[in-house]
Amino acid sequence: MKFLKGLILILFFISCNNNGNDNNYNEEESEDIILDPQGTQYATWIMIWNRSSEDWWNPYNTVGATILVNNRWQAINWMDKYQVEEHVKNMREAGVTILICDLTNGWNWLNNDVHYIQSLCVKNGMKVCIAENSYGDVSMFESHAYDVWHNFAKPDSPYGSTYLRKEGEPVIVCYGIREWYNAYKSSNGDYAKKFNLVWASGEDSDINKWGWQLEPWIGSVPSQDAMFVTSSIKWGVNDEDWRKSLAFLDYNFLLAKQNHPKYIIIGGYDDIHERNGWLPANTFDCIPGRQMRDKNGVISVDAYYSRVKEWISGTPTSISGGYITDGCYRIISKANGKIFNHQGNKGKIGPILIRNAPSDEGLADYYWFYHLGNNNYRIISVSSGLSLDLNNESPQDDAIIIHNLDGDTPTQKWILEDAGNGCFFIKNNFSGKVLQIKEKSDMIIQSVKNEDLIQKWKIEKIVSIS
């Protein structure tokens, strides 16, 4: 269900003590914390529901993923305050200074849990705001706004100085469809009017969005106010329609950093079930689409966490010396101008298609290149999160090239060779054969290199890290 979000991350245990209400509201205090040299602040979503109170909770893993707490691999349990402390500690170390407390699945977790998170924010110099879901009910939203004001945002409320203010007003993140959000903004409720309302949803990409998903054919929408970034690709509701992609995270983060918005909101910190999680986690036992993999295609406990830290610090790592730098490109045939494309497959595993003109689903034409050294690259469809791969590891001529789930395999590694006039041969590391267009077809195959134009490709930069 789109409003249900699972939880997971790997945590390294360092305990913190709650000293209680040791911080009073100061009207002269700056409303925001700004660390980024461009003035950008970084936020992320944090769940606060009680995992082990649910009858479906598994103490050993969450959909195959585990986290490290007190030197033991286990499932998320929000009733364990050590885990909450480690969430906050790791977020702060990554450079996040705003926590969006997710109450969209239930208002009954409001007080004790959020107050505890606020006490941790006091110690870590962070801000907090609340995300809620009133399902379009304006009266319910007014009730929620009342609760937030009196418990968290009012100047004399406990830890009131930690509550995020935007343009002088406390923030509520409204999770739901646009129609609901607009109804809340149009409300004349006394408490609704006290807040600066921002929008989040599980579906649409749109400007100034604060979460929870992005449409994979659109991605993050440029803005100088707020941009949402995530590693999660969602084409549908079934397991095979979801996946995590480091390339999708990199594309959206690069776009966001170029626009210098006031806020960059990073997908859910602790949500492995819907693929939003970016914190360290052992995902080895997850289904392939949920596994966290690095740029080499290797399962990694910290690839996403390290990458977020690099982006926040402004220095994402890449390997120099290749013909092209890490970034987003279009792959265009020298012979006929046709473009690599994922249109029609809706993010599913299968053959690469080419088309005569750019797609109206913009990101369907975009591929992320990771340089692995010596002009070896992994090439990943931005909109699907699937890698270019050799079908069935076939060494034969005419074997088709497909989009496939990330893997640490030579069939997903490609060598760029200079073909002259700004073009390249794209040679498979496993077979030693190059990409070409199949005769009288819209599919891509491999063949022995022969200098034919149908084997030469222009790689057109959209945006790159350097």
Side-chain angles (χ1 to χ4, degrees):
M1 184 174 178
K2 65 184 179 182
F3 293 115
L4 179 62
K5 308 178 181 74
L7 308 170
I8 190 63
L9 74 111
I10 179 176
L11 304 171
F12 300 101
F13 168 66
I14 298 177
S15 65
C16 304
N17 294 317
N18 177 13
N19 294 328
N21 185 358
D22 52 4
N23 194 71
N24 295 319
Y25 181 82
N26 181 352
E27 291 185 352
E28 301 301 319
E29 182 181 27
S30 172
E31 68 179 38
D32 293 319
I33 299 170
I34 297 178
L35 298 179
D36 186 282
Q38 299 293 335
T40 297
Q41 301 167 78
Y42 296 88
T44 197
W45 288 59
I46 182 169
M47 297 284 192
I48 63 169
W49 63 345
N50 295 331
R51 279 294 263 203
S52 60
S53 66
E54 307 299 315
D55 57 11
W56 47 262
W57 181 73
N58 182 342
Y60 302 106
N61 69 74
T62 299
V63 291
T66 53
I67 59 172
L68 189 66
V69 181
N70 290 341
N71 297 314
R72 182 167 63 90
W73 291 96
Q74 58 188 280
I76 281 284
N77 178 10
W78 277 93
M79 298 184 78
D80 179 358
K81 288 191 174 181
Y82 288 139
Q83 294 193 18
V84 180
E85 291 166 1
E86 286 297 333
H87 271 67
V88 176
K89 172 183 175 289
N90 285 327
M91 284 186 284
R92 189 63 183 84
E93 289 182 354
V96 170
T97 58
I98 300 170
L99 305 185
I100 304 169
C101 290
D102 182 3
L103 288 161
T104 62
N105 286 320
W107 205 244
N108 53 305
W109 299 299
L110 181 69
N111 285 311
N112 292 336
D113 299 301
V114 177
H115 281 147
Y116 179 62
I117 290 171
Q118 281 189 298
S119 75
L120 298 177
C121 287
V122 170
K123 297 175 183 178
N124 288 279
M126 303 171 78
K127 298 288 185 181
V128 68
C129 64
I130 287 176
E132 70 83 52
N133 177 20
S134 295
Y135 302 94
D137 186 327
V138 173
S139 296
M140 181 184 294
F141 182 81
E142 177 69 7
S143 174
H144 287 176
Y146 175 93
D147 288 341
V148 175
W149 174 257
H150 286 286
N151 287 284
F152 308 105
K154 189 178 178 182
D156 60 358
S157 62
Y159 308 115
S161 63
T162 68
Y163 203 88
L164 176 68
R165 280 173 157 72
K166 183 176 185 289
E167 299 166 355
E169 296 178 329
V171 171
I172 290 179
V173 180
C174 304
Y175 184 82
I177 62 175
R178 270 288 188 186
E179 180 182 355
W180 300 351
Y181 169 67
N182 289 333
Y184 309 147
K185 286 185 70 71
S186 300
S187 168
N188 290 318
D190 291 337
Y191 288 92
K193 291 188 294 186
K194 292 180 180 292
F195 290 90
N196 191 323
L197 307 185
V198 297
W199 176 69
S201 83
E203 288 81 26
D204 305 334
S205 293
D206 208 340
I207 194 167
N208 299 328
K209 188 175 183 182
W210 280 60
W212 181 267
Q213 290 294 341
L214 295 172
E215 292 164 299
W217 52 92
I218 297 176
S220 189
V221 178
S223 172
Q224 292 186 329
D225 182 35
M227 293 181 68
F228 175 62
V229 302
T230 179
S231 61
S232 173
I233 292 180
K234 176 190 177 186
W235 279 92
V237 297
N238 299 318
D239 277 346
E240 63 269 20
D241 298 326
W242 287 76
R243 64 187 59 99
K244 294 180 66 65
S245 170
L246 191 66
F248 194 60
L249 176 73
D250 278 345
Y251 170 77
N252 289 302
F253 237 124
L254 179 55
L255 190 65
K257 294 286 278 191
Q258 288 190 332
N259 282 273
H260 309 303
K262 186 173 182 181
Y263 303 96
I264 293 179
I265 299 90
I266 306 163
Y269 180 86
D270 50 1
D271 190 335
I272 192 67
H273 180 65
E274 289 185 354
R275 311 340 186 252
N276 296 285
W278 57 272
L279 263 290
N282 182 352
T283 60
F284 184 84
D285 291 329
C286 293
I287 62 173
R290 289 180 181 154
Q291 291 170 339
M292 298 181 179
R293 293 179 177 266
D294 65 15
K295 63 178 68 176
N296 293 286
V298 179
I299 295 177
S300 170
V301 299
D302 63 357
Y304 286 81
Y305 181 61
S306 297
R307 200 61 168 173
V308 170
K309 289 179 70 174
E310 289 174 357
W311 276 115
I312 290 177
S313 69
T315 55
T317 59
S318 59
I319 298 173
S320 61
Y323 281 123
I324 64 174
T325 59
D326 288 8
C328 179
Y329 299 82
R330 291 197 304 171
I331 305 172
I332 304 171
S333 171
K334 174 66 172 176
N336 57 23
K338 290 187 176 183
I339 302 168
F340 268 45
N341 182 266
H342 212 276
Q343 190 181 48
N345 284 351
K346 300 300 182 188
K348 295 186 182 299
I349 296 169
I352 296 170
L353 307 177
I354 57 173
R355 55 181 287 122
N356 290 318
S359 170
D360 55 3
E361 295 181 343
L363 299 194
D365 296 333
Y366 290 179
Y367 285 81
W368 190 273
F369 282 65
Y370 284 120
H371 183 222
L372 308 179
N374 300 316
N375 283 309
N376 277 266
Y377 289 84
R378 289 187 70 245
I379 306 172
I380 302 164
S381 167
V382 172
S383 67
S384 72
L386 299 174
S387 295
L388 264 63
D389 199 355
L390 177 58
N391 192 42
N392 294 326
E393 298 185 347
S394 173
Q396 303 299 317
D397 278 3
D398 297 333
I400 65 171
I401 307 304
I402 64 171
H403 294 102
N404 205 356
L405 292 168
D406 280 354
D408 179 21
T409 167
T411 63
Q412 290 189 7
K413 295 179 173 65
W414 303 87
I415 301 169
L416 294 188
E417 294 183 351
D418 187 0
N421 297 315
C423 295
F424 297 93
F425 299 106
I426 304 176
K427 183 170 73 175
N428 188 264
N429 194 294
F430 175 78
S431 69
K433 297 179 179 179
V434 301
L435 300 186
Q436 73 172 50
I437 301 172
K438 185 176 182 178
E439 186 177 359
K440 297 180 181 179
S441 172
D442 61 356
M443 289 196 299
I444 305 297
I445 61 171
Q446 68 172 4
S447 185
V448 174
K449 186 169 74 173
N450 60 22
E451 303 289 334
D452 195 301
L453 277 181
I454 61 174
Q455 295 185 345
K456 296 182 180 182
W457 303 92
K458 294 186 290 184
I459 300 178
E460 178 186 85
K461 184 172 79 171
I462 304 300
V463 62
S464 67
I465 288 179
S466 59

